[in-house]
Amino acid sequence: MSHSDSEAQVLEIKEFLAKTWKIIVAVIVIGLLAVWGWRYWQTYKAESLTEASDRYELLISKLNINEPTSVNELVSFAKQNDSIYSVFASLQAAKFYVDNLKDYAGAKTLLIDASKKTDSEPVLATINIRIARLEYQLGEYDASLQSLAKVTNNNWASTVNDIRGDVLVKMEQYSQACSAYEVALASNPTADLEKNIKIKLNQAEYLKAAQLLAKEKETKELAEKAATTTQQ
């Protein structure tokens, strides 16, 4: 490469830098700000999560079964916070509502709010199962079945189908209830749950048989009535 060619290249580089130095500086500054902003955000999230954890633990310690209003602060925290501790707070507050206030509708509202703040499959499964149980208590049987349908992981099959069976019994759909209990038994339930399911399955089978007999009797009576009418 000749001396003149080298000088020409240097001159081109200088001209390029003269035209683009502002853009280059801007890109560097933006990059540094992005890195700083990301680090700041991570630090802020960690500090916020720690604060939420501490606040959650404090409010849990203040719960008192003899003081119904002791749950109010926990409910406020659950509504105002968006971290996982808000979800935990809603679960604990809902349990307090059920155990101590018998407020099933209020507990359901808390759990529905919690379900909107997490995408964790195990947590959502727990929430939907608890919602289904509350809907069962409230007599909202169709809604309960819909909530159970949201739990698709087979690890929950015994619990889900146990509740499904209970709901179907209330709906007098005894054949389907028996099927649900049978699925629950085939899904490795705990020893205590298995014992309870077997008892409920026996009851559902009895009700199923009684329902079939009643239908057969009704069908026979209608047929006899129709035959009598025809003869007349």
Side-chain angles (χ1 to χ4, degrees), residues 6-183:
S6 179
E7 287 183 343
Q9 287 184 351
V10 171
L11 182 60
E12 288 178 0
I13 293 172
K14 287 181 177 180
E15 290 178 350
F16 172 78
L17 292 175
K19 294 177 181 179
T20 61
W21 71 271
K22 291 183 179 180
I23 297 175
I24 294 172
V25 170
V27 170
I28 294 173
V29 171
I30 291 172
L32 291 173
L33 287 174
V35 172
W36 178 83
W38 182 83
R39 289 180 178 176
Y40 172 81
W41 176 243
Q42 293 300 314
T43 301
Y44 172 77
K45 285 202 300 182
E47 291 176 350
S48 297
L49 198 60
T50 299
E51 291 176 2
S53 173
D54 293 342
R55 181 64 176 164
Y56 168 76
E57 294 294 340
L58 174 63
L59 294 176
I60 290 296
S61 69
K62 293 172 68 175
L63 287 178
N64 186 339
I65 61 174
N66 297 315
E67 295 181 14
T69 58
S70 65
V71 75
N72 292 347
E73 283 189 84
L74 186 64
V75 172
S76 296
F77 170 80
K79 291 180 178 179
Q80 296 169 6
N81 194 280
D82 289 326
S83 72
I84 188 62
Y85 290 100
S86 167
V87 177
F88 295 158
S90 291
L91 289 169
Q92 291 297 326
K95 185 176 186 300
F96 190 95
Y97 271 36
V98 171
D99 294 343
N100 302 291
L101 305 180
K102 307 305 177 186
D103 184 356
Y104 302 124
K108 178 182 174 180
T109 298
L110 286 168
L111 293 176
I112 289 174
D113 182 61
S115 70
K116 299 175 182 177
K117 296 181 178 180
T118 180
D119 55 4
S120 168
E121 191 276 334
V123 176
L124 282 173
T126 299
I127 291 172
N128 284 313
I129 286 172
R130 293 188 183 185
I131 289 174
R133 284 195 172 114
L134 290 170
E135 289 167 337
Y136 170 81
Q137 293 292 337
L138 291 166
E140 300 171 356
Y141 302 130
D142 287 328
S144 183
L145 293 176
Q146 290 172 12
S147 295
L148 291 172
K150 295 177 183 178
V151 185
T152 57
N153 192 310
N154 287 333
N155 291 332
W156 302 93
S158 58
T159 299
V160 167
N161 284 284
D162 175 40
I163 301 170
R164 182 176 284 123
D166 294 348
V167 173
L168 291 168
V169 166
K170 286 291 185 179
M171 299 174 74
E172 298 184 358
Q173 297 180 18
Y174 303 122
S175 179
Q176 294 181 46
C178 289
S179 297
Y181 288 138
E182 288 168 355
V183 172

Side-chain angles (χ1 to χ4, degrees), residues 211-231:
Q211 187 180 61
L212 288 173
L213 285 174
K215 287 183 177 179
E216 288 175 0
K217 181 180 179 181
E218 182 181 2
T219 300
K220 182 178 180 181
E221 289 175 350
L222 289 173
E224 290 175 350
K225 184 177 180 181
T228 302
T229 302
T230 301
Q231 291 175 359

